[in-house]
Amino acid sequence: MNLVDLWLIRSLSMCLLLQSFVLMILCFHSASMCPKGCLCSHAGGLNVSCSNANLKEIPKDLPPDTSLLYLDSNQITSIPNEIFKDLHQLKVLNLSKNIIGFVDERAFKGVAGTLQTLDLSDNQIKTVHKNAFSNLKAKAQIGNNPWHCDCTLQQVLKSMVSNHEPANSVICKTSVLEEHAGRPFLKADADLCNLPKKTTDYAMLVTMFGWFTMVISYVVYYVRQNQEDTRRHLEYLKSLPSKQIKPDEADDISTVV
């Protein structure tokens, strides 16, 4: 074996050793960044599983290269603004089976373009800001929440790219129209965004009718009152005695004749 072959063998060995060392450092680095109570693994990207971890809020120390994030079956109550903004590789986000009741307007800023699956089912969400899901391309699951069906929810569902499935899973726990409570949102055929305008128009119509009735009533009362005063005045004039000619005035008249 010549020196060149020996050098190549040693170089190859060093390269393999260095590669193994780098991979070990990367794996250790990812493991060291894994949030407390969560399990991290590499399977088609960094998989961070925090299911059943008794979390009360979304961890703030999530690894930036997280691809799949499971936060289901915890006690998380809200999704703050820009909480996922540094997770530019996030594709799957599972927040089901929590007690989430509040979703900030910019909760999904930074991941709206990369997120493919979003699960918010089995929470306590009644309403969200109309822009909370805007530009979100993910297939969203939002069923089994006590939704309040109103214009805002209608705008939210329209802003989602594939809104048919989310809308079909939404059951109106309450609604601006009482007859729609307990029914799927898709079966609420009314345009909920026009209700305030119609209600306002109806209120204005009722108010105007009330004022018109008051004016007519006043005019009728005024006319009748004047008629009554006129009648009384005429009766008073009729009751006055006729004016009689005095004797001296009669003598004057005879003299003139």
Side-chain angles (χ1 to χ4, degrees):
M1 182 179 293
N2 55 34
L3 293 176
V4 175
D5 293 336
L6 183 62
W7 181 82
L8 288 174
I9 292 173
R10 289 184 177 179
S11 298
L12 181 60
S13 299
M14 288 297 295
C15 286
L16 292 174
L17 182 63
L18 181 61
Q19 184 178 10
S20 299
F21 181 71
V22 170
L23 288 174
M24 184 178 66
I25 291 177
L26 289 175
C27 291
F28 177 77
H29 179 67
S30 296
S32 64
M33 292 182 64
C34 197
K36 184 179 179 180
C38 303
L39 296 175
C40 297
S41 62
H42 284 272
L46 181 58
N47 184 345
V48 180
S49 179
C50 305
S51 304
N52 292 293
N54 200 31
L55 298 177
K56 297 187 183 333
E57 62 180 16
I58 298 172
K60 297 179 176 62
D61 55 346
L62 293 166
D65 56 338
T66 300
S67 179
L68 293 86
L69 178 58
Y70 296 92
L71 294 165
D72 54 295
S73 303
N74 284 289
Q75 300 176 29
I76 298 171
T77 59
S78 65
I79 308 178
N81 277 333
E82 303 182 4
I83 188 67
F84 306 113
K85 66 176 182 178
D86 297 323
L87 308 183
H88 302 300
Q89 301 178 38
L90 189 63
K91 295 180 180 179
V92 176
L93 177 58
N94 190 339
L95 282 159
S96 64
K97 298 179 181 177
N98 279 280
I99 51 175
I100 297 171
F102 182 73
V103 181
D104 263 311
E105 177 183 357
R106 298 184 298 278
F108 302 104
K109 184 177 181 180
V111 298
T114 61
L115 201 61
Q116 297 175 2
T117 302
L118 171 64
D119 194 345
L120 288 171
S121 61
D122 297 289
N123 278 285
Q124 297 299 317
I125 305 173
K126 296 181 179 179
T127 185
V128 294
H129 191 278
K130 66 179 182 178
N131 297 325
F133 299 136
S134 60
N135 302 320
L136 194 65
K137 298 179 180 179
K139 179 181 178 181
Q141 300 177 33
I142 58 176
N144 292 332
N145 281 285
W147 288 104
H148 175 69
C149 294
D150 58 1
C151 177
T152 300
L153 181 59
Q154 182 173 305
Q155 292 175 329
V156 166
L157 293 174
K158 284 185 176 180
S159 71
M160 301 173 75
V161 176
S162 54
N163 65 336
H164 180 79
E165 291 185 13
N168 194 38
S169 65
V170 169
I171 304 296
C172 302
K173 178 71 174 179
T174 57
S175 175
V176 290
L177 296 176
E178 293 183 1
E179 61 269 24
H180 290 159
R183 297 172 57 189
F185 182 83
L186 279 183
K187 292 185 179 180
D189 51 358
D191 186 355
L192 301 181
C193 290
N194 284 334
L195 294 180
K197 183 178 183 300
K198 291 180 179 178
T199 303
T200 303
D201 291 345
Y202 179 75
M204 290 180 62
L205 182 62
V206 170
T207 302
M208 291 176 63
F209 180 76
W211 278 105
F212 181 75
T213 303
M214 289 178 61
V215 170
I216 295 299
S217 299
Y218 177 77
V219 170
V220 171
Y221 172 79
Y222 180 79
V223 170
R224 288 183 177 179
Q225 188 66 30
N226 283 346
Q227 288 178 343
E228 184 67 20
D229 291 342
T230 302
R231 185 183 63 80
R232 289 176 181 177
H233 185 67
L234 289 174
E235 289 179 353
Y236 171 75
L237 293 176
K238 289 179 180 180
S239 65
L240 293 176
S242 300
K243 187 177 180 181
Q244 298 179 355
I245 300 176
K246 296 180 180 180
D248 54 349
E249 290 180 352
D251 295 338
D252 293 337
I253 293 173
S254 298
T255 306
V256 172
V257 175

